[in-house]
Amino acid sequence: MGQQAALLLLADGRLPAGGYAHSGGLEPAVRAGRVTDMAGLEAFLIGRAATAGLIAAAFAAVACQRMARGDLTDLDALETELDARIPSPELRKVSRDLGRQLRRAMQAIHPHGIYAKLGPAPHQPIVMGVAAAVLGLDPHRAALAILHENNAGAAAAAAKVMRVDPFDVHAILARMTAQLDHLARSAAQAADGPLADLPAPGAPLSDIAAEHHRRSDVRLFAS
Amino acid sequence: MSGSLHPDTAVKSTGAMFAHAVLACALSHDGRKSVVSTLRSDGPLVLRQCNPKGPEPLIHKRRDIARASLAAGTAGPIGGDRYALDVHVGAGSTLVLNEVSAMLVLPGVGGGQSRMSITITVEAGATFVWWAEPIIAAHRCNHRHDVRIALADDARLVLREEMLLGRHGETPGDFTSRLRITRGGSALYDQQLGFGPSAAGWNSAAVLGGRRAVGSIIAVEPDWVQTPPAALPYDTHAALTPLAGPGVAIGAVARDSLDLRRLLTQGLNTLGPPWAI
């Protein structure tokens, strides 16, 4: 036990790491007419958590575990493995933009020499995992932090791109807590295996929508 | 085996079929053509040398390359079955693998999981064209499909994969398919698609959006290290996306198999010659 407050700090959407500028693919899904009501929003968030969410969680867990062991020799391989799991160049860029911003924030908030060694634009889950380890959190909590932050961020964006009752949105988040717990456990377990076996669940419509969104003239969120 | 994902811990179920087929090709002694050097069928996995079946990307019905076709020797796979196919494309050679018909994945009598593992090695300077037919995940099926492709740094690849969520008018069973491609030992593309009653959120706007067909074309061209094709979302339900390495993924989510084939072919043709068909 311990470090619960550090977990809350890392998972808090108010952490100034740029997450507020992203809807996690919700805006493009709403624009394309694929999410039109609360049931559609809930399904979207569940589908996203089970795909991109699980990948991010697993990579955060591995980065956390390696950092805690003081062995970051496979950091480059980790970046390559994550790239291979994100077909859309736009989503790879978003992940690296968010990673760069999170690193900047963590380096300012709670400095550590490791942040300078993560390359010019590390992926967000890898920075999250490293930051979790620096704060004394274990891989399971690193996974939980990124699952919650990404999920709550997309849910919060619903209020700006759809007509919703905020209580209904948070009711979805409450119903999803068991799923996030389950995904975080799977992610932490996967961190003990080979990198090649890390989860790789794809989300074809998210990749396609992200490429359309980047070319859209009018948009509220960067992704 | 470093590329192997799932240790096979399954219990044998009664009446299940176990099959392991092998296909290999190599450059002939004079280096002028590619020849099939191993063609080992096994039970339901029937391999035959064949003529061009239809339009082929990259190869365009050339006669100096090796060409084989995979046919089903029996219905299935059904729950409990374990199929394995190994393909080896020797240095400098070119192999086309196509399929006679779609593969229908069915539930087994005992309700067990069926699995198919395909392991492909493409050596230095070799080219592999895998022009498969759709996999149909029937109602109540329980199938895991696992494809591992190891490319040499200067190997070429183009493959098509198509999955249909149930036969006409039925909902699919549990199905997962993983395609992992490495190049020179490093990960280039790794995607798993899962759907069916046990999967979460697959029918949502984030994943398949209630559509009944999904597929992709993956092309790997060493020359794209310098000049990769630009990303191109060419349909509301399809996009061509350059990978972090020298390859592209063309992904489409479609109403049905015809719509899917049309979208994938449209995406492939945006690459121009020699990829277009």
Side-chain angles (χ1 to χ4, degrees), chain B residues 44-125:
Chain B
L45 301 175
V46 180
L47 290 162
R48 287 284 182 270
Q49 294 198 60
C50 67
N51 292 312
K53 189 183 168 192
E56 294 173 334
L58 215 50
I59 302 305
H60 303 288
K61 304 191 179 180
R62 260 169 54 196
R63 289 286 171 178
D64 58 342
I65 60 114
R67 194 176 274 107
S69 193
L70 178 66
T74 177
I78 69 169
D81 288 354
R82 300 278 181 280
Y83 292 3
L85 171 66
D86 295 341
V87 178
H88 185 89
V89 189
S93 70
T94 298
L95 175 67
V96 176
L97 175 63
N98 59 42
E99 284 172 14
V100 170
S101 61
M103 185 172 91
L104 177 62
V105 180
L106 293 161
V109 180
Q113 188 180 55
S114 55
R115 287 194 203 168
M116 182 156 186
S117 329
I118 301 174
T119 308
I120 296 162
T121 311
V122 188
E123 288 190 341

Side-chain angles (χ1 to χ4, degrees), chain A residues 27-28 31 208-216 219 221-223:
Chain A
E27 186 184 17
R31 288 282 176 85
I208 294 162
E211 293 300 323
H212 283 285
H213 191 64
R214 187 175 79 78
R215 291 157 180 81
S216 149
R219 50 180 182 164
F221 292 96
S223 77

Side-chain angles (χ1 to χ4, degrees), chain B residues 15-35:
Chain B
M17 295 198 81
F18 294 77
H20 186 181
V22 182
L23 170 65
C25 95
L27 211 52
S28 64
H29 291 302
D30 61 9
R32 294 173 69 173
K33 60 177 184 177
S34 303
V35 292

Side-chain angles (χ1 to χ4, degrees), chain A residues 106-129:
Chain A
M106 294 313 297
Q107 176 65 359
I109 294 164
H110 190 69
H112 190 286
I114 183 63
Y115 291 118
K117 295 175 188 157
L118 294 181
H123 277 295
Q124 185 201 25
I126 292 169
V127 181
M128 185 69 95

Side-chain angles (χ1 to χ4, degrees), chain A:
Chain A
M1 295 303 282
Q3 278 85 37
Q4 287 96 329
L7 171 60
L8 298 176
L9 174 81
L10 204 55
D12 192 334
R14 287 163 293 193
L15 185 74
Y20 58 83
H22 298 266
S23 76
L26 181 64
E27 186 184 17
V30 170
R31 288 282 176 85
R34 292 183 190 127
V35 172
T36 55
D37 56 17
M38 294 309 286
L41 174 64
E42 182 159 7
F44 174 87
L45 293 174
I46 290 171
R48 183 171 176 276
T51 53
L54 176 60
I55 293 177
F59 278 77
V62 178
C64 177
Q65 185 204 60
R66 301 297 201 270
M67 178 66 194
R69 285 181 190 163
D71 175 18
L72 286 171
T73 46
D74 52 10
L75 199 63
D76 285 349
L78 205 55
E79 293 271 344
T80 306
E81 288 285 348
L82 186 47
D83 274 340
R85 285 161 175 77
I86 311 175
S88 158
E90 177 62 15
L91 292 183
R92 289 196 298 273
K93 179 178 180 297
V94 167
S95 175
R96 291 183 180 281
D97 285 349
L98 287 170
R100 204 178 52 236
Q101 291 177 81
L102 178 59
R103 175 183 46 191
R104 181 163 169 261
M106 294 313 297
Q107 176 65 359
I109 294 164
H110 190 69
H112 190 286
I114 183 63
Y115 291 118
K117 295 175 188 157
L118 294 181
H123 277 295
Q124 185 201 25
I126 292 169
V127 181
M128 185 69 95
V130 166
V134 169
L135 290 169
L137 299 172
D138 63 16
H140 176 244
R141 288 183 173 82
L144 210 46
I146 198 158
L147 278 164
H148 173 76
E149 198 277 325
N150 286 1
N151 198 45
K160 304 226 173 71
V161 296
M162 300 170 71
R163 190 173 304 202
V164 294
D165 178 337
F167 288 157
D168 292 342
V169 175
H170 256 72
I172 294 173
L173 293 183
R175 283 192 290 273
M176 286 182 71
T177 54
Q179 187 201 3
L180 296 200
D181 280 329
H182 171 73
L183 290 170
R185 280 194 297 273
S186 304
Q189 264 169 22
D192 290 328
L195 297 186
D197 289 359
L198 288 173
L205 280 178
S206 297
D207 288 303
I208 294 162
E211 293 300 323
H212 283 285
H213 191 64
R214 187 175 79 78
R215 291 157 180 81
S216 149
D217 291 331
V218 186
R219 50 180 182 164
L220 289 173
F221 292 96
S223 77

Side-chain angles (χ1 to χ4, degrees), chain A residues 34 92 198 200 202 206 212, chain B residues 178 180 191-192 206 235-236 242:
Chain A
R34 292 183 190 127
R92 289 196 298 273
L198 288 173
S206 297
H212 283 285
Chain B
R178 185 161 183 170
R180 178 176 167 87
Q191 288 279 277
Q192 176 173 300
D235 184 277
T236 52

